[in-house]
Amino acid sequence: MAAAMALVRGVRFGSYSIGRSRSLIFNSLQRRGIAACVDPSIGLTDEQKEFQKVAFDFAANEMAPHMAEWDQKEIFPVEAMRKAAQLGFGGIYVNPDVGGSGLSRLDTSIIFEALSTGCVSTTAYISIHNMCAWMIDTFGNNEQREKFCPDLCSMQKFASYCLTEPGSGSDAASLLTSAKLQGDHYILNGSKAFISGGGDTDVYVVMCRTGEKGPKGISCVVVEKGTAGLSFGKKEKKVGWNSQPTRAVIFEDCAVPVTNRLGAEGEGFSIAMKGLNGGRINIASCSLGAAHASVLLARDHMCVRKQFGETLSNSQFLQFKLAEMATKLVASRLLVRQAAVALQEGRPDAVSLCSMAKLFVTDECFAICNQALQIHGGYGYLKDYAVQQYVRDIRVHQILEGNDFFCLIHVSEMQWFSKLSWSSPALSPSSNTPDSIRQLIIETLRPEVSQKR
Amino acid sequence: MSARVLVGVKRVIDYAVKIRVKPDRTGVVTDGVKHSMNPFCEIAVEEAVKLKEKKLVKEVVAVSCGPQQVQETIRTALAMGADRGIHVEVSGKDYETLGPLQVSKIFAALAKKEQADLIILGKQAIDDDCNQTGQMTAALLDWPQGTFASEVTLEADKLKVVREIDGGLETIKINLPAVVTADLRLNTPRYATLPNIMKAKKKKITNVKPADLGVDVSSRLEVLKVEKLKEAGRI
């Protein structure tokens, strides 16, 4: 019976070349008979469990068998992602009237967490694509929404989010890419760095400077591939996230119609930051999925590997280590889900919760995956075993969409502002806080700096 | 075509779960264990939905027998494309002893009540491996049966069924109304899409009791003990 069941799934796989060790890993990812405590479906509604089930099934059947190949051959899996889009994963929190699925942030987090068990890198790209589709859906006018969103939701076209530049990462508001108004076009000049999907995607959501220095001078425009003056740098060679290409995006007198601008001039920074709030939850969710898969892989390895005459699962030290990993996984999951609910409800603490979630979860989940690799011993270091890919893929989650160090500043700023007044829009973190006030906050909250004064 | 299809879906322990026998050896542990739709029932639902998409049948009704939890399984069928669901309420001791004979009586009664033209079931359930319900239902209704189907074609009011048998493939032509049981290679079940899962919430599930259908669910079988097989073949 078990053989027949393996065959039922086998019918869906297509061909995959496996050494015996790889099939062990694959089967253990398949085995969703999880210990009740780390079961990710606890506390979900029936509908959310259905979403999660589809995502897990898709991850196990369409992504996990190819995850290593996509990583080693640096393949951008367009077909697999389009299949995901057919299930509704192309615009999960985009409005249904333009082709999205209209789900909540919590539903989205659950879905990305499940998809991530199949391939972190691809899921992370899908989440970036979703973020861009949402930005156009939320801040675009009806013409823009109808022009771009349906194709993005079906993944007929792919999107990239262009904020970072060689000279401005955490200090995003100091970006230099300029957009000068000439008639009914903006002429863009400058370059963006580390753009996920850059060169292979079709729609670029670009933050550029239309006005004065600082966040208030930034606007958001949509640039389509093929526009004259748009070119790309070389494909970067990365430690992980290899199933999505990363390139510099270069603008040389690139003319973009004014009708492609999302929102008003000067709203670009706020749009970008609001996109990133959700983006942080998505990235944290991807880390959760990797950690979940790694915990299961570690547990299975411990049941199989024998040393000193018994399986590793008999070692109390390792049992405790696994218990710690499980505890941190569940704690992380709860924080991400809370942040998702807060963002969905528009609560005042939403932004800080998103930063806290990203900060805490990406760190903890990396530690969990790293520990899982350690438990595998020498085998963990081989590319035949999936755990090393999870480690490499989620390492970058601690860096992008809000570097951990920046998240700390973000959260500590929130603590300061909460003592004053949340309702004042001038104090809202996504508004143009003058650099001088920000500097004052940081110095007040970092004792070692104020001691020097 | 005004045909109505009844599809049986059973809620079973997920195929990927490691089964454990209860300490008192009266059965297997089901509390807190992940359950899902029987894989052969998924194939049956897929086939029914495909027939509806080809406009050969008008309505697909998903049926499940059991306690409150089987509504999840019916919802999954609705998310795959079934139009409405029927939940036959059986719980407690009756559910533990529910077997193919009682289920086939329920299906026979429902087929008459709903005026179904076609019943599609999975060939067997992965928990009891009985492979009896389809055949018994056909017998009770005195309908033709196409079991172990790996291909089903509707031609006017006849059904051409290719069956997987020990000797190879057998093709038969049977009259409607009929019972078909789905084998592994009949189709590949679709993933439910997010929009369909949400639409499924609005689809109706009616509750029915076996007594309303005139069916007696008491069992003539008694399980004496359930034991784990000792590991075979280890040297």
Side-chain angles (χ1 to χ4, degrees):
Chain A
M1 204 58 231
M5 280 315 101
L7 210 51
V8 172
R9 297 294 153 172
V11 167
R12 288 197 204 162
F13 303 155
S15 64
Y16 54 96
S17 64
I18 316 190
R20 188 176 170 264
S21 52
R22 197 94 187 92
S23 66
L24 255 183
I25 290 131
F26 182 64
N27 287 335
S28 59
L29 278 174
Q30 277 286 71
R31 231 181 293 129
R32 297 197 296 281
I34 322 156
C37 55
V38 288
D39 188 339
S41 64
I42 293 176
L44 299 182
T45 63
D46 281 344
E47 199 185 43
Q48 286 165 340
K49 284 184 194 168
E50 281 290 330
F51 297 146
Q52 192 182 57
K53 177 177 179 309
V54 178
F56 265 125
D57 283 345
F58 188 83
N61 297 325
E62 310 286 340
M63 295 168 83
H66 308 291
M67 145 176 160
E69 190 193 357
W70 291 342
D71 172 63
Q72 281 170 26
K73 295 190 182 158
E74 296 188 13
I75 297 172
F76 189 46
V78 171
E79 283 318 309
M81 288 195 287
R82 286 200 171 129
K83 268 193 210 162
Q86 274 169 17
L87 302 184
F89 296 150
I92 302 178
Y93 46 112
V94 171
N95 273 307
D97 66 336
V98 284
S101 303
L103 298 186
S104 71
R105 298 294 183 151
L106 178 56
D107 300 330
T108 308
S109 168
I110 291 162
I111 289 169
F112 284 141
E113 184 187 341
L115 281 180
S116 202
T117 57
C119 177
V120 174
S121 167
T122 309
T123 308
Y125 173 72
I126 294 175
S127 77
I128 291 170
H129 175 94
N130 268 269
M131 178 170 72
C132 296
W134 175 81
M135 286 162 71
I136 299 176
D137 177 44
T138 310
F139 300 105
N141 57 35
N142 276 327
E143 286 83 43
Q144 291 163 335
R145 291 174 73 234
E146 275 159 34
K147 181 177 177 195
F148 294 113
C149 291
D151 280 340
L152 290 180
C153 291
S154 66
M155 284 194 170
Q156 208 36 54
K157 296 208 167 126
F158 292 96
S160 282
Y161 177 88
C162 303
L163 174 65
T164 301
E165 297 182 357
S168 60
S170 292
D171 188 9
S174 69
L175 62 85
L176 294 173
T177 299
S178 62
K180 291 199 170 43
L181 189 58
Q182 253 181 44
D184 57 356
H185 278 71
Y186 285 113
I187 309 298
L188 265 61
N189 272 294
S191 65
K192 298 290 182 184
F194 300 136
I195 302 306
S196 299
D200 285 3
T201 50
D202 313 284
V203 173
Y204 295 82
V205 180
V206 180
M207 269 46 75
C208 51
R209 191 165 299 287
T210 48
E212 77 245 26
K213 264 179 58 170
K216 248 196 173 169
I218 296 173
S219 303
C220 180
V221 295
V222 178
V223 185
E224 296 174 74
K225 189 175 179 189
T227 308
L230 176 68
S231 61
F232 306 99
K234 74 173 191 355
K235 185 169 160 186
E236 309 286 3
K237 297 199 200 95
K238 307 191 295 289
V239 166
W241 270 33
N242 286 320
S243 75
Q244 35 166 309
T246 305
R247 292 188 177 91
V249 177
I250 303 159
F251 305 98
E252 288 165 308
D253 290 332
C254 178
V256 177
V258 171
T259 48
N260 275 17
R261 189 191 66 226
L262 296 182
E265 273 194 17
E267 284 183 355
F269 192 69
S270 165
I271 294 173
M273 291 304 110
K274 288 183 179 146
L276 280 183
N277 284 333
R280 290 193 183 125
I281 295 178
N282 295 341
I283 290 293
S285 307
C286 292
S287 288
L288 278 181
H292 176 78
S294 300
V295 166
L296 297 184
L297 287 174
R299 181 208 58 193
D300 290 341
H301 183 77
M302 279 167 61
C303 293
V304 162
R305 174 73 175 169
K306 275 188 170 174
Q307 286 287 268
F308 306 110
E310 47 179 26
T311 52
L312 295 186
S313 54
N314 283 334
S315 151
Q316 191 182 56
F317 177 76
L318 289 178
Q319 286 167 2
F320 286 171
K321 267 274 167 258
L322 203 63
E324 269 176 22
M325 287 157 68
T327 308
K328 289 183 179 159
L329 174 61
V330 175
S332 303
R333 189 177 283 148
L334 290 174
L335 182 52
V336 172
R337 290 183 179 178
Q338 261 305 296
V341 171
L343 189 62
Q344 183 69 35
E345 293 173 1
R347 292 202 320 237
D349 61 337
V351 176
S352 61
L353 262 184
C354 290
S355 280
M356 284 179 182
K358 200 238 164 212
L359 171 65
F360 182 81
V361 172
T362 54
D363 280 350
E364 287 302 325
C365 289
F366 180 75
I368 291 170
C369 290
N370 203 19
Q371 191 64 55
L373 192 156
Q374 188 76 17
I375 290 174
H376 277 72
Y379 294 102
Y381 210 57
L382 301 181
K383 287 204 170 171
D384 293 308
Y385 284 73
V387 70
Q388 45 77 36
Q389 191 173 340
Y390 287 122
V391 171
R392 285 186 291 112
D393 278 344
I394 69 169
R395 178 62 184 90
V396 74
H397 294 191
Q398 296 168 274
I399 299 171
L400 41 65
E401 298 213 19
N403 191 311
D404 278 1
F405 303 139
F406 184 78
C407 278
L408 281 167
I409 294 175
H410 214 195
V411 173
S412 53
E413 278 177 0
M414 298 313 117
Q415 286 179 301
W416 175 253
F417 284 136
S418 68
K419 287 188 188 136
L420 303 174
S421 166
W422 267 117
S423 52
S424 168
L427 293 177
S428 148
S430 55
S431 77
N432 53 321
T433 314
D435 293 333
S436 53
I437 294 191
R438 206 168 246 170
Q439 193 58 31
L440 179 64
I441 308 308
I442 294 167
E443 282 173 0
T444 314
L445 291 167
R446 280 210 251 137
E448 69 274 20
V449 174
S450 45
Q451 266 164 28
K452 281 181 193 158
R453 290 206 290 172
Chain B
M1 229 209 161
S2 60
R4 178 175 292 138
V5 183
L6 235 52
V7 181
V9 295
K10 187 177 181 187
R11 179 175 181 264
V12 298
I13 295 179
D14 188 86
Y15 79 93
V17 166
K18 199 156 184 241
I19 309 289
R20 284 178 302 147
V21 178
K22 283 204 279 217
D24 61 2
R25 302 218 238 142
T26 54
V28 299
V29 177
T30 52
D31 280 339
V33 171
K34 189 177 165 75
H35 283 68
S36 49
M37 191 192 288
N38 182 35
F40 294 109
C41 297
E42 280 179 8
I43 298 175
V45 174
E46 175 65 23
E47 195 58 27
V49 173
K50 272 206 170 100
L51 285 174
K52 193 177 90 159
E53 285 172 350
K54 288 188 207 155
K55 300 214 196 310
L56 295 169
V57 302
K58 203 182 70 167
E59 195 188 26
V60 175
V61 184
V63 182
S64 193
C65 308
Q68 183 62 23
Q69 293 94 314
V70 303
Q71 296 223 354
E72 288 168 16
T73 315
I74 300 177
R75 291 251 169 252
T76 307
L78 294 175
M80 283 173 74
D83 296 296
R84 59 184 169 92
I86 299 177
H87 170 200
V88 182
E89 289 167 12
V90 180
S91 47
K93 205 81 190 61
D94 283 338
Y95 181 58
E96 282 169 38
T97 57
L98 193 67
L101 184 57
Q102 299 96 314
V103 173
S104 52
K105 286 181 187 169
I106 291 173
F107 268 100
L110 273 175
K112 292 201 191 106
K113 180 162 176 263
E114 300 285 333
Q115 295 175 311
D117 303 286
L118 180 60
I119 299 180
I120 309 184
L121 305 172
K123 74 171 178 183
Q124 66 197 61
I126 61 171
D127 51 5
D128 54 22
D129 281 340
C130 282
N131 187 355
Q132 295 168 358
T133 310
Q135 292 86 334
M136 285 180 178
T137 311
L140 287 170
L141 288 165
D142 198 24
W143 284 7
Q145 54 183 266
T147 51
F148 310 106
S150 68
E151 211 183 294
V152 172
T153 334
L154 193 51
E155 293 166 1
D157 61 342
K158 290 200 199 300
L159 215 54
K160 189 177 94 171
V161 180
V162 177
R163 304 177 59 228
E164 291 196 6
I165 60 173
D166 289 344
L169 294 173
E170 178 193 57
T171 310
I172 58 172
K173 212 176 225 175
I174 54 179
N175 294 333
L176 284 179
V179 175
V180 169
T181 68
D183 206 328
L184 189 61
R185 280 158 280 269
L186 180 57
N187 59 50
T188 308
R190 63 192 60 192
Y191 296 109
T193 66
L194 298 183
N196 283 348
I197 293 174
M198 293 190 295
K199 277 185 214 152
K201 262 202 314 194
K202 301 192 186 96
K203 293 181 184 172
K204 228 171 156 301
I205 299 182
T206 35
N207 293 332
V208 162
K209 290 197 176 41
D212 300 339
L213 300 168
V215 174
D216 167 26
V217 286
S218 58
S219 176
R220 296 172 184 83
L221 300 175
E222 186 193 330
V223 172
L224 295 176
K225 72 169 178 217
V226 176
E227 269 184 337
K228 189 169 147 68
L229 269 182
K230 297 201 186 1
E231 294 205 59
R234 279 237 160 160
I235 296 174

